[in-house]
Amino acid sequence: MKKIHIRRTDLEFVREPLRAPFGFKGRSLTELWQTVAKLESESFTAVAPCVESVLWSDGRVFGENPPAVSSAMMMLVTNRALKLLEGESFTTPPEVIDGLLPELKRYAEQVCGHPVATTFVLNSLVGVDIALWMLYARENGITSFDGLIPPSAKEALSCRHEALAQIPLLSYAVPEEEIRSVLDSGISLLKIKIGKAVPGVSTPEEDMAEMLKWDIARLKQIHAIASQYETPHTKSGKVLYYLDANGRYDSLSRVEALLDAADQMGALDRIALLEEPFAPENRAFVGDLPVCVNADESAHSLEDVQERLALGYKAVALKPIAKTVSVSFRMAEAIHAAGGQCLCADLTVNPLLAEWNKQFAARVPALAGMKVGCVEINGDQNYTHWKGLQDLLPEGLHPAPQQNGVFPLDGMFYAQGERLFRSNGYEGYFKSI
């Protein structure tokens, strides 16, 4: 592989509004900043976006600062990475990300005033990482997404699904009529945000007790609607649930109480995944719970994946659009080697990053209860300007629309992977000098 020299970098951003407050981790967002990284080699220019989600990547940073300030903090980390890359050379993107992480973690902690989660730094690097992969592909004449996959990850990413079930997201505020509309479109797997903070409580114990009550009531509401539907895309023919707690639960006993309530209402066998019930520092063993528990924010390295699997987690959320493509290749390899499951979760990303996510999702094995692969995409539900963001896709890249709850994949989809390396509309963010 060629040694690639980075002669110049640049950075821009835009604040993308959301249609309605988007709630998770007990808080909510009204906008998502999109930073855009630009890397120039001697022969090519690569421009790629990053969707910042400070609330997802480090809830403490988000909670301590106004949302715009926390986003600006993450953008400073991205800018620092770009400055460090100017004048440097690389052979493969993972070596760059490995080299940047220690320095950027130190810098992020200076900016934020305390230790930060590694996911905060990885989130800041998504656009930089993808731009590096774009340069890597173009400099080395790689003309397919398969050509990017490192040899060690090829077996883990060897599937070729003919369809991906779309996983929409039901955040705290999604009303019943919208839930029905989502299910009317043929959806087979619902991602449901749980762990809501209930206003008016005064102690942590009251917060947990009221949260559990709210979560049970929310699951009962959604189950009453979803149980009226059938789907050809799951092995049971039932609509399945993917519960995302974002680390809000404090104990196994409280999680067990949630699952007991799910059992009593007839919903337990529909829970395909329970994601991230505890904060990353909580190392409770979850292998005895009656559902598949998966890791998200707590897993961003090979070591994390191995630790979570040892704690009884049976699945991990791959997020090339949040933890970088470089890290996701390694995570997929580790999960596959351990016999675990993985899925490609969203970060409410723009259409371009959603297409990168779909390339991964098309190649990982289907979840145990599914007949097809799956991918979470919820940007179309949440962005005010989703159609305008679609206009920024590379020329000739035409994503197949959802049909009866799935994205059909054919030879054209796999051939179009190469178009992700081409010029895109984000280049227009940078003025000519």
Side-chain angles (χ1 to χ4, degrees):
M1 293 295 176
K2 292 176 63 175
K3 198 78 169 175
I4 302 165
H5 179 71
I6 301 171
R7 67 182 187 87
R8 188 168 177 266
T9 67
D10 205 350
L11 177 67
E12 272 294 349
F13 84 104
V14 66
R15 300 166 71 161
E16 286 293 343
L18 303 179
R19 293 177 181 174
F22 176 35
F24 64 104
K25 281 195 179 181
R27 298 187 175 94
S28 63
L29 304 169
T30 59
E31 67 177 12
L32 285 167
W33 285 27
Q34 322 268 303
T35 55
V36 186
K38 180 179 181 180
L39 300 179
E40 295 180 16
S41 69
E42 299 299 335
S43 304
F44 300 102
T45 297
V47 174
C50 165
V51 174
E52 295 188 345
S53 187
V54 182
L55 177 54
W56 170 80
S57 64
D58 195 313
R60 180 182 177 187
V61 175
F62 185 88
E64 290 177 346
N65 301 282
V69 174
S70 67
S71 293
M73 288 173 166
M74 184 178 282
M75 185 165 63
L76 285 172
V77 180
T78 307
N79 185 63
R80 176 66 174 162
L82 291 169
K83 292 300 182 186
L84 290 171
L85 289 179
E86 279 194 348
E88 297 296 319
S89 298
F90 73 99
T91 303
T92 66
E95 76 188 43
V96 179
I97 300 303
D98 289 345
L100 287 173
L101 276 174
E103 166 60 23
L104 292 181
K105 194 125 186 325
R106 286 190 292 269
Y107 179 75
E109 291 172 355
Q110 291 175 358
V111 169
C112 298
H114 54 68
V116 300
T118 301
T119 40
F120 180 89
V121 180
L122 289 173
N123 191 170
S124 77
L125 281 172
V126 168
V128 176
D129 178 70
I130 288 179
L132 288 166
W133 282 103
M134 291 169 70
L135 284 182
Y136 171 81
R138 296 177 75 181
E139 290 278 3
N140 288 289
I142 295 170
T143 58
S144 70
F145 184 87
D146 289 320
L148 294 188
I149 302 173
S152 59
K154 285 190 180 295
E155 188 174 349
L157 295 165
S158 60
C159 289
R160 292 293 181 276
H161 293 300
E162 295 182 356
L164 293 174
Q166 180 182 5
I167 308 174
L169 177 62
L170 303 183
S171 61
Y172 303 145
V174 175
E176 287 193 9
E177 58 268 25
E178 189 171 335
I179 296 170
R180 291 185 186 279
S181 177
V182 165
L183 289 164
D184 285 341
S185 71
I187 292 301
S188 55
L189 179 58
L190 294 170
K191 185 171 184 179
I192 303 166
K193 287 290 187 183
I194 59 174
K196 183 178 181 180
V198 180
V201 299
S202 57
T203 68
E205 176 59 30
E206 287 178 328
D207 175 41
M208 290 290 104
E210 292 301 313
M211 175 194 76
L212 178 59
K213 288 180 187 177
W214 191 94
D215 286 350
I216 292 171
R218 180 62 164 166
L219 181 57
K220 188 174 183 179
Q221 175 195 36
I222 293 171
H223 178 59
I225 300 169
S227 59
Q228 301 170 29
Y229 292 78
E230 296 180 347
T231 173
H233 305 308
T234 66
K235 293 177 181 177
S236 66
K238 301 175 181 178
V239 174
L240 302 182
Y241 310 145
Y242 166 9
L243 306 183
D244 184 5
N246 284 116
R248 278 279 287 156
Y249 275 69
D250 63 340
S251 67
L252 267 176
S253 61
R254 222 174 298 265
V255 171
E256 288 167 345
L258 172 69
L259 297 178
D260 286 344
D263 193 17
Q264 292 170 19
M265 70 180 76
L268 184 64
D269 66 341
R270 292 174 179 255
I271 300 176
L273 295 168
L274 171 60
E275 182 167 280
E276 209 73 69
F278 306 123
E281 61 271 15
N282 186 329
R283 288 170 172 76
F285 182 78
V286 300
D288 295 328
L289 293 173
V291 296
C292 177
V293 183
N294 72 299
D296 184 8
E297 297 98 313
S298 63
H300 44 71
S301 68
L302 290 177
E303 294 76 16
D304 292 331
V305 169
Q306 291 162 353
E307 179 187 70
R308 292 290 134 176
L309 292 171
L311 291 173
Y313 291 73
K314 297 182 176 68
V316 178
L318 281 186
K319 283 192 171 178
I321 44 72
K323 303 174 188 176
T324 74
V325 169
S326 294
V327 168
S328 296
F329 280 139
R330 291 176 179 170
M331 288 177 62
E333 175 191 353
I335 298 161
H336 179 76
Q341 301 182 78
C342 61
L343 76 158
C344 290
D346 199 359
L347 195 73
T348 312
V349 295
N350 54 57
L352 179 54
L353 291 182
E355 288 304 307
W356 278 88
N357 220 21
K358 283 165 68 175
Q359 290 291 332
F360 272 80
R363 291 166 168 81
V364 299
L367 293 174
M370 299 294 297
K371 291 183 178 179
V372 296
C374 61
V375 64
E376 182 193 356
I377 293 180
N378 63 68
D380 57 328
Q381 296 174 263
N382 291 295
Y383 279 109
T384 301
H385 305 307
W386 179 256
K387 290 185 178 179
L389 291 170
Q390 288 180 315
D391 293 339
L392 302 176
L393 288 169
E395 185 177 355
L397 182 58
H398 302 296
Q402 185 230 92
Q403 298 176 13
N404 300 317
V406 300
F407 297 106
L409 308 180
D410 54 16
M412 179 63 72
F413 168 82
Y414 290 100
Q416 281 188 345
E418 177 268 338
R419 290 178 179 165
L420 292 172
F421 317 149
R422 297 183 184 177
S423 299
N424 56 61
Y426 287 96
E427 293 182 6
Y429 283 39
F430 298 91
K431 297 178 181 179
S432 301
I433 298 176

